Amino acid sequence: MGEGSTNFHWMYQIKESNSELVTQHYLGMTYENRPMYYLKISQPSNKAKKIIWMDCGLHAREWISPAFCQWFMKEILQNYKTDPKIKSFLQNLDVYILPVLNIDGYIYSWTTERLWRKSRSALINSTCFGTDLNRNFNGSWGSIGVSHNCSSLTFCGTGPESEPETKAVARFIEKRKSDVLCFLTVHSYGHNHQDLVRQQNHAPCQRKGLRLHELYFLSFSNVQLEAAEKAAVALKEKHGTNFTVGPTSLVLYKNSGSWWDWAHMIGIPFFYTFELRDKGAYGFILPPDQIQPTCEETTSAVMTITEYVNQKYFPNSAVAVTSGSLWL
């Protein structure tokens, strides 16, 4: 993907070459005064449609995440005329994609420090830099799994939504929350396993007969669990990769101020975190030969969830799904 300028060039090319479907929209400015844009994929229609939101690149060093956002857009734009499932959900759903949320940190990871994670905001007389944007949302902010030490990788900021990047996303989604059916965020790597993580983080309830990694919370509906499980099946079918489905507090770790705490709080019906390859052998330095298969399998999972949401809310127009077409 390259540095930020390359990202902007890619977004411009996508918009210009797919003007019948794609528009580019301003979201806000980063700490270092770079503009944040999201791309909207929308089939022209007179009816009001619902929204699938996807963001990538929240943590700077997770380069496979922005690469996936690019790949996913390519798959939709290349196949929407011939794939009946894509054609079906685009009748009812617009897809909003933020290819890089943490632009400042992402560029810094290319130019200066490959494993930089946080944003680049200057703190305490510029002797300390960066906030973990996934600890900075206004959902149980600062209470668990975070650090208030600005030098920490999990520094949660000086307050909820203290960072312009977090605030830009939160303000936009809050204005449109009645239309947002599904909120997806893409990360890597899954702390020794790939995960499709359902949220939220507090007050777990163990359901009888479920294995440990399938513990989930009272706040979750059965349909959200079912969508995740179908996606996991579909993901594995592509390249045999196993994904764990479960809540973050059991699959990964407990934390607060995350986008999922916030998404749950404002009432988004479906919200998921993907933790992509690998399993720890390469960590954040994913070899080039794993980029395409990672993107292919994750596309299958995201398409499955999107299709599920489409069927759930628009049952009369959705294409029938068979279990053989699913993975997560």
Side-chain angles (χ1 to χ4, degrees), residues 51-284:
I51 296 170
I52 303 288
W53 170 274
M54 179 191 296
D55 62 63
C56 294
L58 189 153
H59 289 141
R61 62 193 179 186
E62 299 171 8
W63 287 5
I64 188 61
S65 172
F68 170 70
C69 262
Q70 287 193 17
W71 182 279
F72 183 69
M73 282 205 70
K74 172 189 72 72
E75 287 297 300
I76 291 179
L77 297 174
Q78 286 183 353
N79 299 311
Y80 77 95
K81 291 181 180 178
T82 56
D83 188 318
K85 294 176 183 177
I86 298 176
K87 195 177 293 186
S88 174
F89 76 67
L90 284 180
Q91 293 174 7
N92 306 308
L93 304 169
D94 292 336
V95 182
Y96 289 51
I97 296 178
L98 180 59
V100 184
L101 195 160
N102 181 9
I103 299 172
D104 296 346
Y106 180 71
I107 291 175
Y108 190 76
S109 74
W110 277 86
T111 62
T112 308
E113 187 175 334
R114 171 64 183 87
L115 293 179
W116 187 259
R117 167 185 167 96
K118 301 185 288 181
S119 68
R120 289 296 301 163
S121 53
L123 300 151
I124 311 178
N125 298 321
S126 299
T127 61
C128 201
F129 292 89
T131 292
D132 183 346
L133 298 179
N134 205 34
R135 304 293 186 277
N136 190 240
F137 283 89
N138 191 16
S140 304
W141 178 85
S143 60
I144 188 172
V146 304
S147 174
H148 293 274
N149 177 351
C150 68
S151 64
S152 169
L153 288 177
T154 57
F155 175 60
C156 59
T158 56
E161 296 176 14
S162 61
E163 306 309 297
E165 298 88 351
T166 310
K167 185 173 291 185
V169 173
R171 292 292 175 268
F172 176 76
I173 297 297
E174 284 167 0
K175 288 178 183 176
R176 306 295 304 274
K177 64 182 180 181
S178 62
D179 294 322
V180 179
L181 296 183
C182 186
F183 195 113
L184 305 169
T185 189
V186 181
H187 291 259
S188 74
Y189 63 103
H191 293 75
N192 298 319
H193 55 277
Q194 282 82 46
D195 311 285
L196 184 114
V197 181
R198 296 174 300 103
Q199 316 314 333
Q200 175 254 22
N201 283 312
H202 311 299
C205 171
Q206 183 168 5
R207 296 180 65 199
K208 185 176 180 181
L210 293 182
R211 296 187 300 276
L212 179 62
H213 70 277
E214 293 175 324
L215 283 172
Y216 82 115
F217 300 102
L218 289 171
S219 60
F220 284 89
S221 64
N222 288 332
V223 293
Q224 190 171 357
L225 174 62
E226 183 180 31
E229 290 175 337
K230 286 179 181 293
V233 171
L235 187 147
K236 185 174 182 178
E237 285 185 352
K238 198 70 178 179
H239 294 292
T241 303
N242 288 303
F243 262 56
T244 302
V245 175
T248 48
S249 60
L250 295 171
V251 174
L252 294 175
Y253 41 72
K254 293 181 180 179
N255 70 288
S256 59
S258 64
W259 76 263
W260 50 76
D261 283 310
W262 164 78
H264 172 72
M265 181 188 72
I266 68 171
I268 305 299
F270 291 84
F271 44 103
Y272 300 97
T273 299
F274 283 85
E275 291 282 355
L276 306 185
R277 296 188 189 189
D278 69 348
K279 297 183 178 181
Y282 301 99
F284 301 108

Side-chain angles (χ1 to χ4, degrees), residues 33-64:
N33 290 314
R34 294 183 174 95
M36 300 171 67
Y37 296 102
Y38 66 90
L39 294 172
K40 176 182 176 182
I41 306 175
S42 180
Q43 188 92 279
S45 172
N46 292 325
K47 71 175 182 179
K49 291 189 282 186
K50 298 296 185 180
I51 296 170
I52 303 288
W53 170 274
M54 179 191 296
D55 62 63
C56 294
L58 189 153
H59 289 141
R61 62 193 179 186
E62 299 171 8
W63 287 5
I64 188 61

